[in-house]
Amino acid sequence: MRRGRAVAAATAVLAVAAGSLALTRLGSGEETGGAKNTGLPPATAPVERGDLRDSAQADGTLGYDKERKVNAGAAGTITWTPRTGSTVERNERLYEIDGRPVRLMYGAGPMYRTLKPGDRGRDVEQLERNLAELGYTGFTPDEEYTELTSAAVKRWQKSHDAKRTGKVGPQDITFAPGKVRIKSVGAGVGEQAQPGAPVLETTGSERIVTFELDVAESRLAKAGTKVTVELPDGTTASGKVSSVGRTAKPGDDPQDDSPKVTLTVSFDEPDEVDGFDQSPVTVNLTGETRRDVLTVPVNALLALPGGGFGLQVVRGATTREVKVELGMFAEGRVEVSGGGLREGAKVGVPKI
């Protein structure tokens, strides 16, 4: 992650404290705010009035949500697999073993057993809700597999020219939270499959961006925070932070070992976002906005000997130091108040 325009307040203050006395010092025995002529600073910058936005910019990766593996539900020879990049929806084939299709059904839990009359459990309810969505009704979707459920399964099996057993197991269906996109095929046609061995790697079909952010800047990106994403084709798309990691760890950059959290962005219009999987993008975040405030460049601040911070105000050939209160740090500037400051006043800064 590269640092953007956001300046963490603590970091900025430490940097100012280390270097500001090289710019100017208070004269011995004189009060802060008193006029004096100590020589002009090497450069000046105006006090500006306007809105200050706490923002950051991060490198992210455009991909897909909900990555997961699909394992074989039975032993045999793989006779068909889907095309990489294709999308599979409810009741469509995920793969075939010995010419027998394994179809996708929607549900959070796994398909781990063969279901038959008398069985009970959440997997039964998942199956029944899928059957009902497909139009195979005649039962109440619940956790009990009844003869009515078996009759609906037989009608479903008949529609696919399958043997009408009234039972359904891992050799027939696989559950996933929703429609899936085929990321990769782990076992090709003609290869042998074993129960539990990976066959496919899938993702959800929705486009997302993942990126890392310094812990110090994570306050800018709570869940729901609005962002803009610069896409590989040069266009931008709006979105929001959908999740924030709870564990901080070193980032991928070996030269930056500061702790980072991983965040996910979802798009407002995901169907309009194009581009390759794992494509680099830039995420722009905007946090708090301070409206109609006075600001100066961060490097204009002086660390005062008695504590606190001040500015060297320049008027003509005369300078004076004034003590100021600090507010938000952002965009290389800092919000200041006090010291009789006015918009347009000149303050001393180091020569660039």
Side-chain angles (χ1 to χ4, degrees), residues 37-61:
N37 189 343
T38 59
L40 297 176
T44 62
V47 177
E48 297 180 1
R49 178 176 291 280
D51 297 344
L52 190 64
R53 294 177 175 83
D54 197 1
S55 61
Q57 193 175 70
D59 292 327
T61 302

Side-chain angles (χ1 to χ4, degrees), residues 83-137:
R83 176 177 54 83
T84 299
S86 62
T87 299
V88 180
E89 300 186 14
R90 190 198 322 257
N91 203 35
E92 294 181 343
R93 292 182 302 169
L94 268 176
Y95 61 96
E96 287 185 2
I97 293 181
D98 292 342
R100 183 174 183 174
V102 177
R103 298 184 181 276
L104 176 67
M105 295 292 187
Y106 295 170
M111 187 63 181
Y112 64 93
R113 59 176 174 164
T114 296
L115 297 175
K116 59 188 182 302
D119 287 339
R120 300 179 63 90
R122 287 181 296 176
D123 52 347
V124 173
E125 183 176 5
Q126 281 187 172
L127 173 65
E128 290 184 340
R129 292 194 180 281
N130 279 274
L131 291 171
E133 285 290 330
L134 294 169
Y136 302 100
T137 56

Side-chain angles (χ1 to χ4, degrees), residues 7 18 21 38 51 63 66 72 99 124 143 168 190 218 223 233 235 243 252 256-257 278 316 323 334:
V7 180
L21 290 181
T38 59
D51 297 344
K66 301 183 180 72
V124 173
E143 294 190 354
V168 62
S218 61
D233 62 1
T235 62
S243 67
D252 296 330
D256 181 6
D257 59 358
Q278 302 300 300
K323 188 172 184 178
V334 57

